Amino acid sequence: MKMRKNKLRMMILSGLCCLALLGGCNAKEKDPASDKNTSEAVGDEDKQMDAEEAGEAQSSGVGEFSMQDINGETFTQEMFADYDLTMVNVFTTWCTPCVNEIPDLQKLRDEMKDQGVNVVGIVLDSVDASGSTDEGTVEKAKILADLTGVSYPFLIPDEGYMNGRLTGINAVPETFFVDKEGTIVGETYSGSRSLEEWKDIVETELKGAAK
């Protein structure tokens, strides 16, 4: 088991080094020179709702749910109550833009926590097509969290995919915002961004959530 963990750690570390050296090293073998803000398509279309149904599921709030993070801790909709605005970043472990922006999301949380802002990650590929937890992907996510030094949770989608909010996602990363009442607010953002770009967006969404 230790040897397997070390192998996974080296694979992910190599990927991060590739990002630094090449500006884009893609597990899906897409164009490595693609723009940083480009999101990556999610496969397994059988798991997706059509756009209209997904829009209806996302229109109001996240509802009641219970998810575990990659370390087995349970989180519910109550996690939103302590913050004026929570950034929910949906990503996969194989997505280059997703992985590349995680350290910036941690910095954003550190710098804006006193303003009532939190960050939560959801590892979309940590469940397989049958809805079961993919332990191999969870292990990769643990190593990724360790390498990037994040302190915010990486959640595993529940059986209901957060009451349908996590279905209909065709490209990652996808980011949306939730206020302290559990209501989805503002815009949904597809693709990764720089720390400064995210700060500007969060400032705007924070003002909207306060109204």
Side-chain angles (χ1 to χ4, degrees), residues 9 70 140-150 154:
R9 185 180 296 271
I70 58 176
K140 291 177 184 178
K142 288 180 181 180
I143 295 170
L144 179 59
D146 181 49
L147 290 173
T148 55
V150 299
F154 283 178

Side-chain angles (χ1 to χ4, degrees), residues 44-167:
D44 194 4
E45 294 181 358
D46 289 339
K47 291 165 51 178
Q48 310 302 330
M49 300 168 64
D50 64 41
E52 183 177 351
E53 290 174 339
E56 291 175 357
Q58 300 170 13
S59 61
S60 55
V62 295
E64 296 183 0
F65 63 85
S66 180
M67 294 188 197
Q68 286 192 330
D69 72 356
I70 58 176
N71 297 309
E73 184 176 351
T74 299
F75 290 79
T76 71
Q77 68 282 353
E78 297 298 325
M79 68 179 176
F80 299 118
D82 294 332
Y83 297 89
D84 294 325
L85 188 72
T86 298
M87 168 191 275
V88 181
N89 179 251
V90 186
F91 70 97
T92 63
T93 57
W94 49 258
C95 165
T96 298
C98 301
V99 172
N100 205 26
E101 75 171 350
I102 287 174
D104 280 344
L105 299 185
Q106 178 62 48
K107 290 178 183 177
L108 184 145
R109 182 182 185 273
D110 292 342
E111 295 178 18
M112 301 193 74
K113 185 176 180 180
D114 290 343
Q115 295 175 245
V117 175
N118 192 29
V119 177
V120 170
I122 297 181
V123 191
L124 195 62
D125 61 330
S126 61
V127 291
D128 59 25
S130 66
S132 301
T133 300
D134 185 326
E135 296 297 343
T137 299
V138 171
E139 188 62 38
K140 291 177 184 178
K142 288 180 181 180
I143 295 170
L144 179 59
D146 181 49
L147 290 173
T148 55
V150 299
S151 60
Y152 62 84
F154 283 178
L155 303 183
I156 300 169
D158 59 347
E159 184 176 344
Y161 279 75
M162 192 182 267
N163 294 300
R165 177 55 187 84
L166 303 179
T167 57

